[in-house]
Amino acid sequence: MVTPVEAAVESLRQISTEPPVWLVPKQELSQAVRAASKLLFASLKPHCTKSPFDELLIEGFDAEQIWQQIDLQSQPLLSSLRREVKKFEKHPEEISKLKVDVEGGKKKVLEEIETENVVVNDDDDEDDDIDMDEEDEDEEEEGEEKEKGREEESENEGEEKGGIEDKFLKIKELQEYLEEDEAREFGTNKKKRKAETKKHEEDTEDEEEEGDDEENEDDTDEAEEEEEDELGLFGGDDESDEDDLGNARYEDFFSRKKSKDSEDKAKYRDMLEEDSGSDDEHVDKKVKNQRKDGLSKHEKELDELRSKIEQMEKANLDPKVWTMRGEVTAAQRQKNSALEVDLDFEHNVRPAPVITEEVTASLEDLIKTRISEGLFDDVQKAPTLSSKAPREVKELDDNKSKKGLAEIYEEEFVQKTDPASAPLTFSDELKKEASMLFKKLCLKLDALSHFHFTPKPVVEDMSIQTNVPALAMEEIAPMAVSDAAMLAPEEVFSGKGDIKEEAEMTKADRKKRRANKKRKFKAKAAKRPRANTSVRNSDEGSKV
Amino acid sequence: MSAEAPTTMETETVASESKLESNSLPPKPKFEPLKAHEMSDGRVQFRKVSVPPHRYSPLKKYWMDIYTPIYEQMKIDIRMNLKARKVELKTRLDTPDISNLQKCADFVQAFMLGFDVADAIALLRLDELYVESFEIKDVKTLRGEHLSRAIGRLSGKGGKTKFAIENATKTRIVIADSKIHILGSFANIKIARDSLCSLILGSPAGKVYSKLRQVSARLAERF
């Protein structure tokens, strides 16, 4: 009959031929492992009275939770085991009783194994393996494997407690035999421990256990490694076991002056098992690493680790570094210590823009477009509202005033009393002049445009009439110019009386003319300084 | 005449007193205002204005312009005392107001100070015109070149600063060496005086102009 444990192990073995497979989580693998762990848990249940769980809850729980459940069961179990060990320490005679039983059980088991059919091969293998174990295998490894196998089986069993033992297989005998073997290998001290552990599992040992053992031992080193990996998965019990073994040291298992053969073989096994990539924290692995050197590599690593741990512990005890202390003022830290630390704080200021070629190019383009468009951001003056009429700015006249003071005050008085009759002020005259000019301009513009006929404004001024063709005055755009002149001949004539030409003149007229001239000249000369007159007279005399 | 007045008064009061017994108070007596002639006990009043030598020939030139308004309109006798080099004024019988004499005297005095007749005539026509005189040394003690420069500053180039002040403040200014005479109404004299003083103290003409502009604008706004 195939127990769930066997099935699980079988499936596991089939799947995982190499440790790398375990790196990737697989559904079927995890399920098989979970089932196996559940059975193991159940098998241990009868031993621990305090555990709250009746069975290992798997559905819907993740690995961490399953671990916790196992741990919860195993903790009180461990304490009870320790008590048992102490008891045995005090009373060593009981151990021998135990041992005998175990051995007996073992022998019985061996006999039964030989005769059985189901696990014949396995039994044979087991025998062979056992022999091998005795001779070649690494002692602890074997023992541990067996232990683990037993643990597995004990957990997995659970339901089939009653049907484990039969006439052929006595668990006690098996136990004793195994203990004996181990005692031979390791020495008497170990025997005790193993005996205790074995004792606990006595009741639950199984053909299947054996089978497992055998299977395990049948397998190649890789399979054994697998099992170790499996056990690594199952974990909880292993660790509990480890705590017991945690105090084991290299020297306990191996003394330097061992036989070379065993050492070599052990080395070989070690090497193979090193490749399995097992957890360094496991005590088993620790011990496997073995070198011929005085201080093993592993030991060196351990020393380093230890020193590191000590350092860290020391650091933890010391007061914290100021950077870790929270709010720190300048007084609480060393001078200039803030400079060495890379501080991170918020900058409220935008960082200065990095001037690259692209930036300058973009700026220049912008400037060029702006210039071409003429779109400058000039400040434009806001237009002021002129609420008041512009005040008359009286210009200071720095010429001598033509009016007398009396006249000025007179005008002022008149303006006060009777503004209407007041003579125009200077500004009014200017206004008048300006309005006159504007009217003239408008007239001219209208005439040019010929749109509206506006007659000339009647200005009663004394204006000078120029002697211009009449039509020029009357027609603005004269098409023809008449010969008729504006002024009459007598108006043009500037002179007095009868005018005679040179030819017409009589002698008397000429004389008269000359006499007039002389008279005039004399009158003029009298006013001028007399120095020049003599010169003039001589000139005049020569003329006639 | 003066003796008569009280007597007549007395008789009238006696008469009035007699009436009291019978009826109400008698009517108040009405007196004509005193003529210039009647004042000071009927004696004639004189004013004498001395003529400085530099005004002698202008006086001769403008004598008729001075004489005519005084004699015709003010009804004051005027004559020139050549020997004493004074102009003498005297009230006539028909001088209407005693203040006429004073006005004529002021008018002649103004002419003597250096004002034109046309400007001085304003004294005859308006009551509130006065002449103020002060010296440069009253404002600031200046000696030698500084004094000359100050005088130059006051007048300006071609007298334009002086004219500017005159036109702005409606006054007439005469700068005679280190003496300054201002003719005009009281407020205007004040403004002119301030401007002149600031010029004496050294402020540039432009500053004075700007101030004058403001002041004159303010003055003009009032009316």
Side-chain angles (χ1 to χ4, degrees), chain A residues 391-401 403-410 412-413 415-416, chain B residues 116 118-119 122 125-126 129 160 163-164 167-168 170-172 183-185 188 209 212-213 221:
Chain A
R391 268 175 33 184
E392 274 183 26
V393 180
K394 197 176 174 186
E395 282 295 317
L396 275 178
D397 187 23
D398 45 359
N399 300 318
K400 187 176 172 121
S401 70
K403 299 179 209 169
L405 196 66
E407 282 164 10
I408 293 168
Y409 279 108
E410 188 187 327
E412 218 183 284
F413 178 75
Q415 210 170 41
K416 263 198 279 182
Chain B
D116 284 339
D119 302 329
R125 296 176 77 173
L126 291 164
L129 295 183
K160 64 179 185 140
F163 294 138
N167 292 332
K170 289 202 224 66
T171 55
R172 290 290 176 262
L183 167 69
S185 64
N188 293 345
Y209 278 18
L212 275 174
R213 244 183 248 119
E221 271 179 13

Side-chain angles (χ1 to χ4, degrees), chain A residues 480-537:
Chain A
V481 181
S482 74
D483 292 336
M486 275 296 284
L487 292 170
E490 58 268 24
E491 284 169 352
V492 176
F493 175 65
S494 59
K496 275 190 248 175
D498 234 13
I499 299 220
K500 280 184 181 177
E501 277 226 351
E502 194 63 41
E504 289 177 347
M505 275 191 175
T506 61
K507 199 171 183 183
D509 290 329
R510 278 198 210 104
K511 277 197 172 176
K512 202 180 164 187
R513 192 179 67 183
R514 183 176 153 76
N516 275 335
K517 258 195 207 172
K518 275 179 103 175
R519 222 179 292 132
K520 278 183 193 168
F521 189 75
K522 269 184 184 171
K524 261 193 198 173
K527 285 191 181 175
R528 279 193 207 150
R530 292 187 191 163
N532 292 338
T533 49
S534 57
V535 176
R536 283 297 170 96
N537 282 335

Side-chain angles (χ1 to χ4, degrees), chain B residues 20 23 71-72 87 116 128 168:
Chain B
L20 262 169
N23 288 346
Y71 193 81
E72 305 293 326
V87 173
D116 284 339
E128 301 90 25

